Amino acid sequence: MTSKVDFLPLIDTVIDQGYAICDNFLTDPELTTLRELLRNQYSEGEFKEAKIGDRFHQTKIKSIRKDEILWLSKGEFPETECFYNEIDRLVETLNRYCFLSINDYEFHFAVYPPGAFYKKHLDQFKTNDGRLMTVICYLNENWDSSFGGELMIYPGDDSKTIAPLPGRLVLFKSDELPHEVLKTNKDRFSITGWLKHKHTPL
Ligand SMILES: O=C(O)CCC(=O)C(=O)O
Ligand SMILES: [Fe+2]
């Protein structure tokens, strides 16, 4: 069963303040299922060090981000079906009410082991890879403020920290909101993705 969040107020909030937080995106059983899948894949060594830029900047990379990721695709793991169903509903709502033309998305699991972080950045690269909206959903079992690992966002001249609480979803415009992941003291789990517009030849 899905939680059936009403996405309209969430989308209104993104339009107003550039980001929105939703605390019940996944139900507890859905969260547990996704976390178990992530843990199994991680312990089987399926995750890779996350990268930025190209292969000539390897030394810089580890000083910028230290998470490990596993790219996902819809239909690959039955455990992710509930998540993708909700994402499809979110995309439909965004396209209908915001006149966006999202026609593609990409998601990965991420593990930030103790000591990991991701320095301040924007998610849409200069090469413009079509990323319109960033979606992050935290899969942690519990989270205490002593664990660190907050998402820090910089709307306008302001800054705000967001704890990676279980089942919490954060949504923002990929090209507008600088953000970073503060150093975590505990394994930090998430599923992160981008809602995109892919240009297709006529
Ligand atoms: O996990 C988070 O809170 C943010 C991750 C992030 O910024 C990214 O993967 O681009
Ligand atoms: Fe990011």
Side-chain angles (χ1 to χ4, degrees):
M1 230 205 48
T2 52
S3 54
K4 294 282 174 246
V5 169
D6 182 1
F7 290 135
L8 282 180
L10 195 73
I11 291 170
D12 274 346
T13 308
V14 175
I15 294 167
D16 282 356
Q17 63 178 22
Y19 68 92
I21 301 169
C22 167
D23 272 331
N24 53 346
F25 185 70
L26 297 174
T27 61
D28 283 347
E30 289 168 347
L31 195 55
T32 308
T33 306
L34 282 167
R35 184 170 50 245
E36 284 314 302
L37 174 66
L38 176 149
R39 277 207 174 111
N40 289 338
Q41 294 296 309
Y42 190 63
S43 60
E44 283 169 22
E46 297 294 335
F47 280 55
K48 303 258 180 323
E49 262 174 32
K51 293 188 177 153
I52 55 146
D54 59 45
R55 67 197 168 94
F56 299 109
H57 295 95
Q58 292 284 330
T59 48
K60 264 186 148 184
I61 288 164
K62 282 208 152 187
S63 60
I64 295 173
R65 71 183 291 191
K66 287 180 99 168
D67 54 323
E68 294 170 45
I69 63 170
L70 172 66
W71 284 103
L72 299 166
S73 53
K74 196 179 171 179
E76 187 185 1
F77 299 110
E79 295 91 331
T80 60
E81 194 185 330
C82 55
F83 177 80
Y84 279 112
N85 286 343
E86 285 302 274
I87 293 296
D88 286 340
R89 205 165 62 78
L90 174 63
V91 166
E92 241 172 65
T93 317
L94 278 165
N95 282 344
R96 183 156 353 124
Y97 292 99
C98 303
F99 306 106
L100 290 180
S101 46
I102 298 163
N103 58 4
D104 193 19
Y105 49 60
E106 56 189 3
F107 282 90
H108 64 57
F109 279 146
V111 173
Y112 286 69
F117 54 80
Y118 192 163
K119 290 275 167 75
K120 190 173 173 183
H121 64 281
L122 273 179
D123 279 351
Q124 196 191 78
F125 302 115
K126 290 207 175 63
T127 47
N128 196 342
D129 51 7
R131 290 177 170 184
L132 298 176
M133 288 276 175
T134 300
V135 181
I136 308 159
C137 183
Y138 298 110
L139 304 180
N140 299 305
E141 198 165 350
N142 51 60
W143 203 260
D144 185 86
S145 55
S146 66
F147 299 163
E150 296 93 346
L151 171 68
M152 187 143 184
I153 58 170
Y154 298 89
D157 294 332
D158 213 357
S159 69
K160 180 183 164 65
T161 52
I162 301 170
L165 298 183
R168 172 172 273 181
L169 181 105
V170 183
L171 179 69
F172 55 85
K173 289 172 82 181
S174 305
D175 61 339
E176 279 183 11
L177 189 73
H179 58 282
E180 70 181 300
V181 178
L182 303 181
K183 186 164 83 69
T184 184
N185 305 313
K186 195 175 183 268
D187 278 330
R188 176 191 192 270
F189 304 145
S190 54
I191 181 164
T192 299
W194 294 273
L195 311 182
K196 300 169 52 160
H197 176 71
K198 184 164 81 180
H199 290 281
T200 44
L202 292 174

